């Protein structure tokens, strides 16, 4: 079943990516010869108008074949007006950029849907109190439910943690409910230094309590879902970009990179966890695909965009020789990245069996 869910996830991402290229190619009058989900041998195909729609054997990508796309393609005189290569450079930029942008748009829509359907949230019930820390010294106990901080009501652990963090090291008054009895405690947070997900060293105030892990489902009306979905989508985009920077800086180890095997495994796990978890996983993958494709690496959409931007600035296209060399370098980089991802996947499998 994990393979099936991975195919569904990747198929959705590929479809929206290629749909972006397809729609804007059509909008600018570019002929589209093929629209394929997957690479390799054709499983199914149907021609509608000028376009052949294909389902191909390898579900790890897809493509839109446009008239006049590629090197040394011969174009008849009647097809010249419908040729991608003959379109103004700004139109070519929009057509190429539409694929990654549609991936980001797809993720944005999924995040909005997720907040409308309902997201799990951790309550403020305390599961553990760390000995000799401010909360323990003040008298907070496991099983207490935090109701307010400095008079501000809180019902979710994230909101409680945010208030503590933003308060720096100033004294805080925490109101808890113990059984049916409300109780108030005053304490001074202490600083804790640790590393975050990006490998950065961060210092933040803490009082020494651990969430019990009790969860509820929060549903949001469309307006608030759009606001929260927008913020979530932007945060994921920002974290994806920062993660790439940290990978280059080696602050995040390269063994964190995963490939198809990891995607299959995670797709199965998230699907088993529920529909919302699976949608969040697809949204995360969609953001990653969109951001990665915008990188200025030849072969990727971002590489083509870089060539077109140079053409826009200089007024002439990048030479064929320069493009060929850049694409060869890009191919080597892409193959190297794929080999690293496969190696990490296999290493994880053996590590789990050991």
């Amino acid at each position: 079943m994990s393979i099936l869910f991975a195919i569904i996830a990747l198929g959705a991402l590929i479809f929206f990516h290629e749909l972006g290229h397809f729609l804007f190619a059509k909008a600018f009058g570019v002929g589209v010869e093929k629209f394929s989900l997957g690479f390799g041998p054709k499983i199914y195909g149907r021609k509608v108008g000028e376009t052949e729609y294909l389902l191909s054997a390898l579900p790890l990508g897809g493509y839109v074949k446009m008239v006049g796309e590629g090197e040394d393609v011969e174009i008849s005189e009647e097809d010249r007006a419908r040729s991608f290569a003959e379109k103004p450079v700004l139109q070519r930029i929009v057509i190429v950029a539409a694929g990654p942008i549609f991936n980001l748009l797809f993720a944005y829509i999924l995040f909005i849907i997720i907040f409308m359907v309902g997201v799990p949230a951790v309550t403020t019930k305390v599961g553990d109190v760390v000995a000799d820390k401010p909360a323990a010294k003040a008298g907070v106990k496991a099983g207490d439910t935090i109701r307010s901080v400095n008079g501000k009501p809180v019902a979710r652990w994230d909101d409680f943690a945010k208030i503590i963090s933003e308060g720096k090291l100033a004294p805080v008054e925490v109101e808890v409910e113990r059984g049916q009895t409300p109780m108030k405690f005053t304490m001074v947070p202490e600083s804790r230094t640790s590393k975050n997900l990006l490998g950065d060293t961060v210092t933040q105030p803490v009082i020494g309590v651990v969430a019990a892990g009790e969860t509820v489902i929060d549903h949001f009306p469309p307006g608030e879902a759009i606001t929260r979905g927008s913020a979530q989508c932007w945060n994921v985009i920002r974290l994806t970009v920062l993660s790439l920077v940290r990978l280059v800086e080696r602050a995040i180890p390269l063994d964190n990179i995963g490939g198809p095997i990891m995607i299959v495994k995670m797709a199965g796990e998230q699907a088993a966890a529920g529909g919302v978890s699976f949608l969040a996983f697809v949204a995360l993958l969609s953001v990653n695909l969109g951001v990665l494709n915008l990188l200025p690496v030849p072969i990727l959409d971002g590489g083509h965009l870089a060539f077109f931007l140079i053409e826009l600035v200089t007024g002439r296209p990048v030479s064929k020789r320069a493009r060929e060399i850049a694409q060869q370098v890009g191919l080597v980089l892409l193959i190297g990245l794929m080999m690293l991802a496969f190696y990490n996947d296999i290493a994880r499998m053996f590590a789990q069996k050991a």
Side-chain angles (χ1 to χ4, degrees):
M1 289 298 289
S2 293
I3 294 176
L4 175 61
F5 285 117
I7 291 174
I8 292 172
L10 292 175
L13 304 189
I14 295 165
F15 173 76
F16 274 91
H17 183 96
E18 301 306 335
L19 183 64
H21 295 315
F22 176 82
L23 290 179
F24 278 90
K26 287 290 190 181
F28 291 132
V30 176
V32 178
E33 298 173 353
K34 293 182 179 181
F35 183 116
S36 177
L37 291 182
F39 294 120
K42 177 175 71 175
I43 296 176
Y44 173 80
R46 182 177 182 182
K47 191 164 186 177
V48 179
E50 68 171 0
T51 307
E52 184 181 12
Y53 298 90
L54 302 170
L55 182 63
S56 300
L58 301 177
L60 297 177
Y63 62 91
V64 167
K65 177 67 173 68
M66 293 176 280
V67 173
E69 184 183 19
E71 301 288 348
D72 301 323
V73 177
E74 294 186 4
I75 301 295
S76 64
E77 198 59 39
E78 58 267 26
D79 281 342
R80 192 167 294 278
R82 301 166 56 249
S83 170
F84 173 77
E86 297 294 325
K87 294 298 178 181
V89 65
L90 281 175
Q91 292 186 7
R92 282 179 275 148
I93 287 174
V94 172
I95 292 170
V96 172
I101 290 173
F102 264 51
N103 279 128
L104 300 180
L105 180 62
F106 180 47
Y108 171 61
I109 293 171
L110 286 180
F111 282 126
I112 293 173
I113 292 172
I114 287 168
F115 280 105
M116 290 178 64
V117 171
V119 293
V122 179
T123 69
T124 52
K125 185 174 182 179
V126 178
D128 190 24
V129 180
V130 182
D132 299 324
K133 296 299 179 181
K137 292 177 181 178
V140 178
K141 295 183 179 180
D144 290 349
T145 299
I146 299 168
R147 293 304 185 193
S148 71
V149 180
N150 293 334
K152 184 175 182 179
V154 291
R156 302 292 178 261
W157 194 267
D158 284 347
D159 297 331
F160 157 69
K162 183 179 179 182
I163 294 174
I164 297 296
S165 178
E166 291 177 346
K168 307 301 181 184
L169 297 176
V172 293
E173 183 183 70
V174 178
E175 181 180 352
V176 306
E177 188 175 88
R178 183 174 297 167
Q180 300 295 320
T181 306
M183 307 178 73
K184 291 184 179 181
F185 303 97
T186 300
M187 63 201 76
V188 179
E190 64 180 36
S191 60
R192 180 184 67 185
T193 300
S194 59
K195 287 188 177 293
N196 62 18
L197 292 174
L198 298 175
D200 298 325
T201 299
V202 295
T203 300
Q204 56 187 1
V206 296
I207 62 173
V209 290
V210 180
E214 179 183 76
T215 61
V216 294
I217 302 298
D218 286 338
H219 303 271
F220 300 94
E224 190 172 355
I226 290 173
T227 301
R228 289 177 175 268
S230 301
Q232 182 69 11
C233 189
W234 170 247
N235 285 335
V236 173
I237 291 172
R238 182 177 60 85
L239 286 172
T240 301
V241 173
L242 288 175
S243 296
L244 290 172
V245 173
R246 295 295 187 268
L247 277 170
V248 173
E249 295 173 345
R250 300 300 298 275
I252 298 177
L254 291 177
D255 58 13
N256 282 284
I257 296 174
I261 298 174
M262 184 177 181
I263 291 175
V264 169
K265 181 175 180 293
M266 291 186 67
E269 291 174 349
Q270 297 308 310
V276 169
S277 295
F278 182 68
L279 288 180
F281 172 68
V282 175
L284 180 63
L285 279 183
S286 195
V287 168
N288 275 265
L289 181 60
V291 170
L292 288 173
N293 264 284
L294 287 172
L295 295 177
V297 177
I299 294 183
L300 299 180
D301 290 331
H304 295 296
L305 289 174
F307 292 147
F308 294 150
L309 288 173
I310 293 172
E311 180 180 346
L312 185 65
V313 172
T314 63
R316 61 180 184 275
V318 176
S319 69
K320 179 181 176 181
R321 179 59 180 162
R323 291 198 305 271
E324 288 176 345
I325 293 173
Q327 287 170 354
Q328 289 170 1
V329 172
L331 181 61
V332 171
L333 290 173
L334 190 59
I335 291 174
L337 183 62
M338 290 173 62
M339 291 176 64
L340 175 62
F342 272 112
Y343 172 80
N344 287 343
D345 283 351
I346 294 169
R348 288 189 194 96
M349 289 175 62
F350 280 106
Q352 290 171 356
K353 292 178 180 179

